[in-house]
Amino acid sequence: MARKKELTTVADKLEQLEELQAIHSKIDAIHILKGELPIEVADLEDEIAGTQKRVAKVQVEIDDAQAEIEHRKTLMKEAQSLITKYDKQLHNVKNNREFDALNKEIELQKLEIQLAEKKIREANFTIENHKKQLDEIQKRLDSKEKDLDIKKKELQNIIKDTEKEEKELNEKAKEMEGEVEERFLLAFNRIRKSYKNGLAVVKVSRNACGGCFGFIPPQTQSEIRTKKKISTCEHCGRIISGVDDSAVFISEEEMA
Ligand SMILES: [Zn+2]
């Protein structure tokens, strides 16, 4: 429901452009707020999923080491009982060949026990290291999950708080765009698109353009103050709607 206002003075047109800029700056601010949080949330979710996979992998390695220990303990028991059996048989040997063969078997079983002990030590070492790793990973995971929770809530709040405002701002922008003279609107949109901060209409502040901070000579500032014509910044082309006197004035001599 755009109503065409009859704007006669340049001052009115500048005021309108200022208002349009203010609306768009507010919409931009909402986009910036929302634009980064979803990425941060997605990144955190990816990181957490990756870390959980690592936890699972380390846990499997711990389980494997535990299984290895059990397996080696069984082998040790078997070797031990064989040694006991061969020891008994040694008392009843009939010849040297049998005696040697039994002793050789006993040696083999002792080696089996030594090997098992070595493997158990290694597995215990692995388990100890991996448990330390798990502790560290778990701490990081906890903090990431806390972060995610905070950011998710933040995002939900922003969406909840801004949904209505954004809709209203968009409607207001549309309405204003219907009122602004077409050539100014085209310039406004073109300038806005070419700058990352989305500023097309700025004021002079402390002798500088509020968009690019380029120096605005006193004479140009005087012209801007008269609001007889629409001025643009000679450095960046932004529309200059006025001079912000709330900023401390710095003379040319002081700037030099
Ligand atoms: Zn500028």
Side-chain angles (χ1 to χ4, degrees):
M1 278 199 289
R3 66 209 142 80
K4 224 37 168 205
K5 258 192 264 172
E6 276 311 312
L7 292 168
T8 46
T9 69
V10 173
D12 287 339
K13 288 175 186 171
L14 283 171
E15 203 181 298
Q16 206 178 37
L17 284 169
E18 256 177 26
E19 204 181 318
L20 184 61
Q21 178 64 62
I23 293 165
H24 277 292
S25 290
K26 278 182 191 167
I27 296 171
D28 288 349
I30 292 171
H31 283 178
I32 288 166
L33 273 178
K34 273 201 289 190
E36 299 192 349
L37 273 171
I39 295 167
E40 285 172 9
V41 166
D43 282 353
L44 275 170
E45 279 171 345
D46 282 354
E47 246 183 287
I48 287 168
T51 311
Q52 280 166 341
K53 263 187 204 159
R54 254 196 86 199
V55 168
K57 199 173 156 262
V58 174
Q59 192 58 59
V60 165
E61 282 169 10
I62 290 175
D63 293 346
D64 285 353
Q66 207 72 60
E68 170 77 0
I69 290 171
E70 292 313 314
H71 172 60
R72 292 292 169 177
K73 276 183 180 167
T74 308
L75 289 182
M76 272 172 85
K77 266 184 204 155
E78 283 168 11
Q80 199 57 61
S81 61
L82 280 174
I83 289 170
T84 312
K85 189 180 107 187
Y86 296 147
D87 268 339
K88 274 182 196 157
Q89 287 177 3
L90 272 179
H91 298 299
N92 306 312
V93 286
K94 291 176 185 95
N95 51 50
N96 274 345
R97 201 178 53 83
E98 221 176 297
F99 181 83
D100 288 345
L102 277 172
N103 269 324
K104 210 177 160 192
E105 272 307 314
I106 289 169
E107 272 317 301
L108 274 176
Q109 294 312 317
K110 281 181 178 169
L111 284 175
E112 186 71 55
I113 290 169
Q114 275 177 19
L115 178 65
E117 283 169 345
K118 183 172 171 274
K119 291 287 179 188
I120 288 169
R121 274 197 305 275
E122 285 170 1
N124 274 322
F125 185 71
T126 300
I127 290 169
E128 205 182 309
N129 268 335
H130 279 40
K131 281 190 171 163
K132 271 184 209 157
Q133 265 188 50
L134 268 190
D135 277 352
E136 279 166 33
I137 299 171
Q138 195 58 51
K139 266 182 215 157
R140 253 182 294 155
L141 196 58
D142 288 349
S143 108
K144 295 275 171 217
E145 276 170 347
K146 257 184 221 159
D147 271 5
L148 177 64
D149 201 40
I150 291 166
K151 293 221 187 286
K152 261 187 170 173
K153 276 184 189 142
E154 215 178 306
L155 181 60
Q156 279 161 5
N157 283 340
I158 289 170
I159 290 170
K160 201 179 79 198
D161 291 348
T162 57
E163 237 172 7
K164 188 166 165 267
E165 190 194 354
E166 196 183 355
K167 194 171 165 269
E168 283 167 5
L169 285 168
N170 277 321
E171 281 166 8
K172 185 92 179 103
K174 227 179 188 178
E175 191 185 318
M176 292 251 18
E177 278 157 13
E179 290 171 7
V180 173
E181 218 173 291
E182 206 187 339
R183 62 189 174 116
F184 292 141
L185 186 63
L186 287 173
F188 179 87
N189 288 334
R190 179 177 45 79
I191 301 167
R192 242 180 76 74
K193 252 182 234 157
S194 55
Y195 293 111
K196 231 184 152 185
N197 64 6
L199 289 177
V201 181
V202 295
K203 281 188 173 177
V204 176
S205 179
R206 299 174 188 230
N207 295 332
C209 161
C212 72
F213 306 108
F215 178 66
I216 310 292
Q219 205 199 317
T220 313
Q221 290 187 45
S222 301
E223 282 167 25
I224 293 165
R225 281 178 193 281
T226 64
K227 304 205 175 194
K228 289 260 160 61
K229 67 177 182 82
I230 291 187
S231 306
T232 55
C233 171
E234 61 174 296
H235 309 288
C236 68
R238 287 182 175 93
I239 298 162
I240 300 181
S241 64
V243 178
D244 180 10
D245 287 314
S246 67
V248 181
F249 182 80
I250 302 164
S251 71
E252 234 174 304
E253 288 78 29
E254 276 176 294
M255 287 191 79

